[in-house]
Amino acid sequence: MSASREIEDLIELMARLPGLGPRSARRAVLHLIRKRGALLAPLAQAMQQVADSARECLNCGNIGTSDICDICASEKRATGELCVVEDVSDLWAMERAGVFKGRYHVLGGTLSALDAVGPEDLRIPRLVERIGTEGITEVILALNATVDGQTTAHYIADQLQGRVRLTSLAQGVPIGGELDYLDDGTISAALRARREL
Amino acid sequence: MSASREIEDLIELMARLPGLGPRSARRAVLHLIRKRGALLAPLAQAMQQVADSARECLNCGNIGTSDICDICASEKRATGELCVVEDVSDLWAMERAGVFKGRYHVLGGTLSALDAVGPEDLRIPRLVERIGTEGITEVILALNATVDGQTTAHYIADQLQGRVRLTSLAQGVPIGGELDYLDDGTISAALRARREL
Ligand SMILES: [Zn+2]
Ligand SMILES: [Zn+2]
């Protein structure tokens, strides 16, 4: 054994992060130990805080530190526009673009016959509910331009047809592209040029 | 703001790790939050433990959780062979190869005129001291095959000439290569085929 048990355990846990393998986990841990005052201790505390407080918003599925997230809690975001995304990372990407002023609904995935994912697995019933209770006038379907994403968009459009204005992000989203990989400008352009379904 | 302050803080700290940028830090944090019971909380605790206990071995410069590391503390490792490396990551790489049974001396860098790094900045005085006090009969200079690494090896060889057998890793270390990037087999072969300086 080269390092102590505590350090080996930390390397092993770090290697489970997406984007880090065993080698990069070792390098990250050495870096952390060298900066244990300035980085490792604050990181440990930040992780503990998030571990203790992180939860999904009961209304929209966003991740925050209270039962109702800041966006759902803000009256300013009650514009009547609701942006439907697959994943929290997509919500964060939209927020970084900074052009959308309404609220979100995070599905938590896409419909998939292959993986047996149905509407009730995806917060779709809750979405339908919100249309009435929150005075939603427009639903922007900001799903990924994948087959499953588009299937899901069509399913939701069918459910909501005639009740609200239905739009989708259009210009700028490349075929097969995922929101989280797009730059902020592309997302802004796609939102501004959104089209009727 | 898309996530809460606590989550934004965590993302910002994670982005300071080598190998993670802002995007991969966000993905890592989302992954951690989804697995907050199984991964985030244990990781926070492992980091806190290492932050509290990690230190450099006073004898060899290895990183561990006590003043004298496990290798220096083990009588079994008192073989008379001392392997000199630049960095703790190189020591760990040697240990993973699993063929070296002696002790180490971590310089903490290389001599560098450009960066004004002299022998006293590198635990070289401590190395000279150890030759006498630990009954060292062979010093294996396992420095990287870079200009600075080889300059440092020659400087150390000059200091110790006539007092111990001096060898270096030879076969298998590519020109410009760094130990930490070599596979275990290459390191084993280089150690077995070490040559006299
Ligand atoms: Zn919410
Ligand atoms: Zn030691």
Side-chain angles (χ1 to χ4, degrees), chain A residues 57 59-60 62 69 72:
Chain A
C57 173
N59 194 43
C60 76
N62 185 18
C69 76
C72 286

Side-chain angles (χ1 to χ4, degrees), chain B residues 25-101:
Chain B
R26 285 193 302 267
R27 299 195 154 251
V29 168
L30 265 181
H31 181 80
L32 285 169
I33 291 175
R34 292 205 175 96
K35 301 190 179 287
R36 51 191 176 277
L39 186 53
L40 179 54
L43 192 52
Q45 283 155 33
M47 282 186 175
Q48 191 61 58
Q49 265 188 335
V50 171
D52 291 341
S53 62
R55 67 198 71 186
E56 285 179 353
C57 174
L58 296 176
N59 193 44
C60 76
N62 186 17
I63 284 175
T65 50
S66 46
D67 284 338
I68 299 298
C69 76
D70 292 351
I71 294 172
C72 287
S74 165
E75 269 309 306
K76 280 189 193 154
R77 305 295 297 247
T79 61
E81 291 172 316
L82 190 67
C83 180
V84 176
V85 292
E86 289 177 25
D87 193 271
V88 173
S89 60
D90 300 324
L91 186 163
W92 291 0
M94 290 289 299
E95 285 293 285
R96 287 198 300 280
V99 284
F100 180 66
K101 301 303 180 200

Side-chain angles (χ1 to χ4, degrees), chain A residues 57-62 67-73 91 104 130:
Chain A
C57 173
L58 296 175
N59 194 43
C60 76
N62 185 18
D67 284 340
I68 299 298
C69 76
D70 292 350
I71 295 171
C72 286
L91 186 163
Y104 294 92
R130 289 184 68 187

Side-chain angles (χ1 to χ4, degrees), chain A residues 23 26-27 96 180, chain B residues 23 26-27 34 96 180:
Chain A
R23 166 164 292 147
R26 283 194 302 266
R27 298 195 154 251
R96 285 197 301 281
D180 193 29
Chain B
R23 166 164 292 146
R26 285 193 302 267
R27 299 195 154 251
R34 292 205 175 96
R96 287 198 300 280
D180 194 34

Side-chain angles (χ1 to χ4, degrees), chain B residues 100-171:
Chain B
F100 180 66
K101 301 303 180 200
R103 289 189 180 146
Y104 294 93
H105 195 75
V106 181
L107 294 176
T110 51
L111 294 174
S112 165
L114 203 66
D115 299 324
V117 181
E120 62 295 333
D121 301 313
L122 289 183
R123 274 194 210 96
I124 290 179
R126 177 87 195 121
L127 168 62
V128 175
E129 222 177 283
R130 290 183 70 187
I131 304 304
T133 56
E134 289 186 48
I136 303 301
T137 53
E138 175 176 357
V139 168
I140 301 165
L141 294 167
L143 304 187
N144 290 325
T146 57
V147 172
D148 281 345
Q150 293 311 301
T151 302
T152 308
H154 281 113
Y155 176 86
I156 293 172
D158 281 347
Q159 301 296 303
L160 303 181
Q161 202 70 58
R163 297 186 55 192
V164 286
R165 182 179 176 211
L166 283 164
T167 58
S168 69
L169 298 187
Q171 187 195 332

Side-chain angles (χ1 to χ4, degrees), chain A residues 178-194:
Chain A
E178 297 195 347
L179 280 189
D180 193 29
Y181 284 95
L182 297 181
D183 62 285
D184 301 348
T186 305
I187 291 180
S188 302
L191 183 76
R192 280 191 302 270
R194 63 190 186 267

